Amino acid sequence: MTSDRLQHFHGRLALPLIAAPMFLVSGVELMVAACRNGVIGSFPTANCRSTEQLDEWLTDIEARLRWHEDQTGRKAAPLCPNLIVHRSNARLEQDLAVLLHHRPEIVITSVGSPTTVLKPLHDVGALVLADVASIRHAERAAEAGADGLVLLTAGAGGQTGWLNPFAFVRAVRAFYDGIVVLAGGISDGHALRAAEVLGCDLGYMGTKFIATRESMADERHKQMLVDGSADDILLTTAFTGLQTSMLKPSILAAGLDPDDLPARGAIDVGKDIDVNARESRPERWRDIWSGGHSISGVTEVMEANDLVARTVAEYREAGGRLSP
């Protein structure tokens, strides 16, 4: 199932899949559920209110996964914290110290070069996967020594890239033989199998994990995904200054017109929103929600183990179609 680059995880993965790290969505319950079911669980360290809480989360998750392994005799899939390495992250040094203490098997770096954290993470045995949104970003991360690249392609939820996934993967594979992860548009096992055929080692699944019982997402966010389709996704720079895939219905509910948003990064949520449109002023990300093109594959809110089981069945079915 997995390539030679991931053989040390042999027998631990039910799928070559990462439950994508999602701001204000990925938490302890989702991580435990994903890893127990053979999916790499990833969460942004920024989801923790403090470095102390990050330590508590990791301790709790690790203990629960050890208990699961003791009960079942099966080792869980790896846990994979996601660290923002941009200079704007005031907690970078402190969060990194916590990760080094817990010695995660995999770490994903986002919003910048992984250069400053590569050596200390490698020293504790972690694989480092770097988020990249362009060919040049991929080249730089490869040159820095990243063990893998997460290709943010058109259709990924939240802050994303713009490149076609077919073109992006093949361009990267022309110069890089490390781990490649496809982020964007993977809504089922068929798409995951296609990513492998394309040359990827792993895929990201984010939007469908938002709509699980274990995710920390607002219940209205989950239902909006169930009710929506890819036509409800808007790519805009208005909220973060970066290309971001957002849900149009949540923008409308906040009193904004998705077809007439302010310029790049101009929205100051709480000032630019009609306060009469809601009982309380919405906050960026808490009331204006993201989603990816794979929203069209979200048909119900379900438990994470059921989502994984369904994806495994789809993945196997797709594999059968590839057989001679």
Side-chain angles (χ1 to χ4, degrees), residues 15-312:
L15 290 163
L17 187 65
I18 298 174
M22 296 173 285
F23 188 51
L24 300 179
V25 170
S26 307
V28 171
E29 296 302 324
L30 184 54
M31 294 304 94
V32 171
C35 293
R36 281 178 175 175
N37 284 281
V39 170
I40 297 169
S42 185
F43 72 97
T45 63
N47 278 0
C48 301
R49 292 188 301 272
S50 65
T51 297
E52 290 74 22
Q53 187 179 53
L54 173 61
D55 183 48
E56 292 168 4
W57 274 29
L58 289 170
T59 300
D60 186 15
I61 294 168
E62 290 162 359
R64 292 170 66 177
L65 292 180
R66 281 196 300 271
W67 182 88
H68 168 76
E69 292 164 4
D70 291 342
Q71 295 298 310
T72 65
R74 298 193 308 270
K75 192 167 178 61
L79 179 65
C80 176
N82 171 216
L83 186 63
I84 295 174
V85 293
H86 192 267
R87 61 180 178 277
S88 62
N89 181 6
R91 279 174 32 193
L92 174 58
E93 186 174 336
Q94 293 88 345
D95 283 3
L96 176 61
V98 171
L99 297 188
L100 297 178
H101 173 72
H102 284 269
R103 306 173 73 91
E105 295 175 273
I106 313 174
V107 173
I108 296 170
T109 63
S110 296
V111 198
S113 170
T115 303
T116 58
V117 301
L118 273 171
K119 186 180 186 306
L121 287 171
H122 281 162
D123 285 347
V124 298
L127 291 175
V128 179
L129 312 181
D131 270 356
V132 294
S134 70
I135 302 297
R136 186 57 189 141
H137 288 159
E139 290 172 340
R140 288 176 177 172
E143 291 166 1
D147 301 292
L149 304 175
V150 179
L151 310 187
L152 303 178
T153 71
Q159 291 181 351
T160 185
W162 63 274
L163 283 168
N164 175 285
F166 289 92
F168 202 178
V169 173
R170 297 315 303 161
V172 168
R173 273 292 176 228
F175 63 84
Y176 185 67
D177 63 359
I179 298 167
V180 168
V181 186
L182 178 60
I186 294 181
S187 63
D188 58 24
H190 300 276
L192 183 59
R193 182 73 76 172
E196 275 193 312
V197 173
L198 192 59
C200 299
D201 301 287
L202 297 164
Y204 256 23
M205 183 178 283
T207 302
K208 291 191 80 168
F209 276 107
I210 297 175
T212 57
R213 304 289 181 195
E214 294 87 350
S215 93
M216 299 191 302
D218 189 297
E219 294 303 317
R220 296 168 298 161
H221 186 181
K222 298 178 186 181
Q223 191 59 45
M224 196 173 285
L225 295 173
V226 172
D227 296 337
S229 75
D231 289 343
D232 293 311
I233 303 299
L234 175 69
L235 186 64
T236 177
T237 61
F239 297 95
T240 68
L242 299 174
Q243 294 282 4
T244 308
S245 295
M246 308 293 282
L247 283 165
K248 290 181 184 177
S250 71
I251 297 172
L252 284 167
L256 288 167
D257 181 357
D259 297 321
D260 187 26
L261 292 174
R264 183 179 185 126
I267 292 181
D268 182 357
V269 177
K271 293 182 180 179
D272 296 297
I273 292 177
D274 180 0
V275 295
N276 296 317
R278 298 286 296 272
E279 292 181 359
S280 60
R281 292 186 176 188
E283 298 178 4
R284 183 183 302 165
W285 298 112
R286 294 186 183 277
D287 292 279
I288 301 177
W289 300 312
S290 66
H293 290 183
S294 56
I295 180 178
S296 288
V298 180
T299 58
E300 61 181 311
V301 177
M302 58 199 309
E303 293 187 358
N305 63 313
D306 292 330
L307 172 58
V308 174
R310 179 181 295 180
T311 307
V312 167

